[in-house]
Structures are given as structure tokens and as C-alpha cells.
Amino acid sequence: MEKRRRYSIVAACIILVLILLDQILKIWVKTHLTLGETIPLLGNWFNLYFVENPGMAFGLSFGQNIGKLLLTLLRIALVVFLCWYMHRQIKRNQMEGIVMFTFCLIIAGALGNIIDCLFYGVIFSESTIVSVASIFPEGGGYAPFMYGRVVDMIYVKLFPIPENFPLWGGSYFFPAIFNFADSCVTVGVLLVIIFNKRVFTDNNTCNTVVET
């Protein structure tokens, strides 16, 4: 019982800290930078570059309003499933530390972007190329509940992509602009791929799976 309780508390703390880091950075960017404003952090290859994303991660989009609504609902369903699965594994004493951390990364990253979609349109005014957003403006927010835009700001320009390269020619690698929540999900998914047997196999069957 003690181990299960400890794992549950640690998981909740990790998720909370990651969400707070994500939201603190997003709120600072939203209230201090105009849309498209850039702040170099490490030379010319690592920048804060404020953009807003109406759709998926890394600046991708998915349909119009109906697509955005479906995507938000899908994210919520994913978080509910992952929380249920992690709780079940902890309750069964079948959750390793690295697996718990992996789930925490994905859950926190998904929740970080869900918060943007659900609430940012309600609590913030519109960000423009000439003015920063304000919190709880008198005339109301820029979009209804569940239709807020995700704040992206991390732009890494590692090296230029040749002009004749399909799709991204003439831009830099990595061309997408993303946020801390996207990074959490990406690292979490990579860890799932690396530790897939630990993630999807119960402890009492691990030896059988490895032997076969």
C-alpha cells in the first residue's frame, strides 16, 4: 500500500510541475510578446518565436472549428485513458519508475495543450503583431470555450534545409515551432517506443515475453 501511495503522489507531483512550467512559459509569452515577435536565446539557432496554433502539435492544423473540437475531445479521452491505465498499473504494483515518468510526460503534455484550447480564448484578448494580449479583458476573450489557440514559442534553427528538398526546402531543421507541452509528449512517446515491453506488459508476464 505504501509503495502504491508513494507512486501516486509522485506521479501527481510530476504532472503538476510539468503543467505549471508549460503554462508559466505560455502565459509569459502571451502577455509579453506580440504575435511573431522573436527573442534570440542561444545565438541564432534557439529562439522564442511567438505564434498561435489552432490545431495539432508543432504548428499543424486539423480542419476548421469542428476539427479543433474533435481534436480537443480526442486529447481529453487520451488523458482519461492514460490516467486510468497508470492508476490501474500502480494499484496492481506493476508500474516501474521509468514507465510512470513516461506516462506523466504524455499526460502533462496533453493537458498543457488542452488548457490552451479550453480556456485561453476565454481569458485572453487577441494577440496581434502590434499588441500583446491582456488577461480577462473587458470585452471578453477572443474565442468561445474550447476554441482557444495553443501558444507555441520554441523555434530551433539547427541548419538550413536545401532549397530543392520537398515541403521544407529553404527553411531550417527543425522547421516547426512548438512548446514545452509538445516536447513532453514527444519525449514520452519516444520512451514508450524504447521501453514498450515494460509499458504494455504486466510484470508477471514479462519473463515469458522476453523468452519468446
Side-chain angles (χ1 to χ4, degrees):
M1 176 65 71
E2 186 62 30
K3 180 181 177 181
R4 293 199 294 266
R5 183 179 302 172
R6 184 172 67 251
Y7 266 49
S8 297
I9 294 173
V10 170
C13 289
I14 292 174
I15 293 171
L16 179 61
V17 168
L18 293 174
I19 291 175
L20 284 175
L21 290 174
D22 175 66
Q23 290 300 310
I24 288 171
L25 179 56
K26 286 176 177 175
I27 292 172
W28 185 90
V29 167
K30 183 77 175 167
T31 56
H32 287 78
L33 302 183
T34 57
L35 200 62
E37 185 174 353
T38 304
I39 299 179
L41 297 179
L42 293 175
N44 189 45
W45 69 272
F46 185 77
N47 307 271
L48 285 183
Y49 182 15
F50 175 33
V51 298
E52 289 186 309
N53 167 25
M56 302 172 67
F58 300 112
L60 302 175
S61 60
F62 177 64
Q64 300 299 320
N65 286 343
I66 186 64
K68 181 174 180 58
L69 178 61
L70 291 174
L71 180 62
T72 300
L73 294 175
L74 179 63
R75 283 173 171 159
I76 294 173
L78 174 64
V79 168
V80 170
F81 170 76
L82 291 178
C83 288
W84 167 81
Y85 184 81
M86 183 169 66
H87 173 73
R88 188 192 72 165
Q89 295 302 89
I90 291 175
K91 190 174 180 180
R92 293 179 175 182
N93 283 323
Q94 294 177 347
M95 178 65 69
E96 299 181 47
I98 185 63
V99 177
M100 181 187 70
F101 182 66
T102 297
F103 276 82
C104 289
L105 284 171
I106 298 175
I107 291 169
L111 282 174
N113 286 333
I114 287 171
I115 291 172
D116 294 26
C117 295
L118 294 182
F119 302 112
Y120 274 30
V122 177
I123 67 176
F124 287 110
S125 63
E126 188 83 27
S127 293
T128 71
I129 60 174
V130 296
S131 62
V132 300
S134 58
I135 301 178
F136 297 115
E138 290 186 6
Y142 67 83
F145 177 69
M146 292 189 75
Y147 287 95
R149 295 188 288 269
V150 176
V151 174
D152 292 331
M153 79 295 291
I154 302 174
Y155 185 29
V156 181
K157 299 192 292 184
L158 295 180
F159 54 84
I161 301 174
E163 293 283 349
N164 58 353
F165 193 87
L167 297 179
W168 296 303
S171 61
Y172 284 85
F173 182 89
F174 177 71
I177 302 170
F178 55 100
N179 57 44
F180 182 77
D182 296 333
S183 302
C184 289
V185 173
T186 301
V187 173
V189 171
L190 289 175
L191 290 176
V192 168
I193 295 172
I194 295 171
F195 299 103
N196 64 88
K197 289 185 178 180
R198 297 187 185 183
V199 173
F200 298 111
T201 306
D202 292 342
N203 283 346
N204 58 2
T205 61
C206 276
N207 292 332
T208 303
V209 173
V210 171
E211 290 172 1
T212 57

